[in-house]
Amino acid sequence: MTEPIIAIRDVHKWYSGVHALKGVDIDIRPGELVGLIGDNGAGKSTLIKILSGVTRPDQGQVLIDGQTVDLKSPKSAMRLGIETVYQYNSMVPTMSVARNLFIGREPLRFSLFGIGLMNQAKMRHDSIRAIADVDLHLRSPDALVGELSGGQRQGVAIARAMYFKSRVLILDEPTNHLSVKETTKVLGFVSGLKAQMITGIFISHNLHHVFSSCERIIAMARGKVVLDKPTDRTSMEEVQELM
Ligand SMILES: Nc1ncnc2c1ncn2[C@@H]1O[C@H](COP(=O)(O)OP(=O)(O)OP(=O)(O)O)[C@@H](O)[C@H]1O
Ligand SMILES: [Mg+2]
C-alpha cells in the first residue's frame, strides 16, 4: 500500500462547550477522490478547517507524506499543496478573473526591496490557459468575477487550484445553491481531478452527488467517523442509517 498523502490521527476539537471532533482517524492515499458526508453539525467543516490551516486541532496530529505538520495558517497548508474551495469562496467580485486566479500569488515583472510590479500580461495569458484546462468557457480573463454565475466561480476556484499544482483539493459544499446545470458542471470538475492525479475531498449534503463522483465514502456523525468504505461496498441506505 502506498503511504497516505494525508493522515489524520485521533484529532479532537472543542469549541468552548462543544466537542466538535471526538478522535477522528482518516488516511487518504495519493490520487484518491473521497466523499465526506454527514448531517449538519457532524464536524465536516471543522475537520476541513484543520486541514486547510484555518484552525488547529486541540489534540491529535495531521501527517502529510508521513510527516507530522503544523498547519498554522492557510498559507502553510497551501505551501504543502492543500487548496480549499468553499461554498462562498474567497474570490473578489470586483476584480477580474485573471486577478482572482493569482490573488496573493501574483507574478512580478520585477521586484526591488520587496516592492514589485505585477506581470499583467502573464496573468492574462496563464489565466486563459488555466480556465481552458478545466473546460470552462469564459468570454475573457478580464471579466469581473461578480458577473459570473455560481458554477463559473467554482470553476475559476478549481482552475486556480490546478494552476498552482495543488496536490490536494478540498471542496466544501461546492454545489450549494447552484442550478442543476451548474451543479452538473461542478461535478464534472470534481470527477476530472482523478485524471489530473489530484487527491480530492468532496463534501456535500447530497448523497447522489457524492456517490456518483467519489470512489470512497466517509460519513461523520456527532464528531466521529461512522463509516469509511469504498463506494462500491456501501449504499446510500447504509449511510443514511448510520447518520
Ligand atoms: N466557530 C465555532 N464556534 C463554536 N462552535 C462551532 C464553531 N464552528 C463549529 N462549531 C460547532 O461544531 C460542531 C461541528 O460543526 P461543523 O461546522 O464542523 O459541522 P458540519 O458537519 O460542517 O455541518 P454543516 O453540514 O451544517 O456544514 C457544531 O456543533 C457547530 O455548532
Ligand atoms: Mg459545514
Side-chain angles (χ1 to χ4, degrees):
M1 283 272 247
T2 43
E3 185 172 48
I5 184 166
I6 294 180
I8 298 164
R9 293 273 178 271
D10 192 32
V11 162
H12 288 256
K13 182 76 189 176
W14 283 267
Y15 289 112
S16 44
V18 181
H19 196 175
L21 296 177
K22 302 174 184 162
V24 171
D25 286 287
I26 294 173
D27 277 357
I28 298 175
R29 299 188 187 282
E32 259 191 319
L33 183 50
V34 175
L36 181 59
I37 53 189
D39 266 337
N40 295 107
K44 306 179 297 293
S45 293
T46 303
L47 187 64
I48 282 346
K49 281 181 191 153
I50 288 171
L51 291 180
S52 56
V54 174
T55 186
R56 284 159 123 173
D58 294 314
Q59 193 183 309
Q61 274 108 43
V62 175
L63 290 83
I64 306 290
D65 300 322
Q67 304 285 322
T68 304
V69 292
D70 179 16
L71 302 167
K72 49 177 171 295
S73 69
K75 268 235 154 83
S76 54
M78 276 154 79
R79 251 182 252 121
L80 291 165
I82 304 171
E83 294 262 350
T84 307
V85 173
Y86 297 97
Q87 170 190 344
Y88 300 107
N89 55 59
S90 50
M91 278 194 279
V92 184
T94 52
M95 287 190 345
S96 71
V97 168
R99 281 298 308 277
N100 268 282
L101 227 129
F102 287 94
I103 214 157
R105 289 179 279 197
E106 291 85 355
L108 300 180
R109 209 129 63 85
F110 72 91
S111 145
L112 206 59
F113 309 117
I115 300 168
L117 188 64
M118 279 189 277
N119 189 339
Q120 304 278 0
K122 182 175 168 59
M123 289 199 288
R124 286 193 83 246
H125 172 269
D126 285 10
S127 58
I128 291 171
R129 216 193 58 214
I131 287 161
D133 279 351
V134 296
D135 201 25
L136 182 68
H137 305 282
L138 294 181
R139 201 163 34 81
S140 146
D142 304 320
L144 300 182
V145 160
E147 295 165 356
L148 303 182
S149 74
Q152 288 172 325
R153 284 185 207 203
Q154 295 299 56
V156 173
I158 292 168
R160 176 167 64 187
M162 304 269 199
Y163 178 83
F164 287 103
K165 304 251 177 296
S166 84
R167 299 175 65 211
V168 179
L169 183 61
I170 302 171
L171 302 115
D172 194 355
E173 307 269 2
T175 52
N176 259 13
H177 308 298
L178 295 187
S179 68
V180 173
K181 206 172 145 208
E182 288 178 345
T183 298
T184 309
K185 188 87 193 165
V186 171
L187 291 177
F189 295 140
V190 173
S191 306
L193 294 177
K194 196 80 197 150
Q196 310 252 7
M197 299 295 291
I198 295 175
T199 306
I201 304 175
F202 173 36
I203 300 162
S204 175
H205 273 108
N206 190 313
L207 295 187
H208 294 276
H209 293 171
V210 170
F211 270 78
S212 66
S213 53
C214 300
E215 66 196 291
R216 180 172 155 205
I217 306 289
I218 297 178
M220 291 183 68
R222 296 167 296 278
K224 288 184 177 167
V225 171
V226 293
L227 178 136
D228 183 348
K229 284 185 178 176
T231 309
D232 55 12
R233 278 193 244 149
T234 181
S235 64
M236 292 191 216
E237 292 73 33
E238 183 183 26
V239 167
Q240 250 151 358
E241 231 163 78
L242 288 165
M243 297 185 341

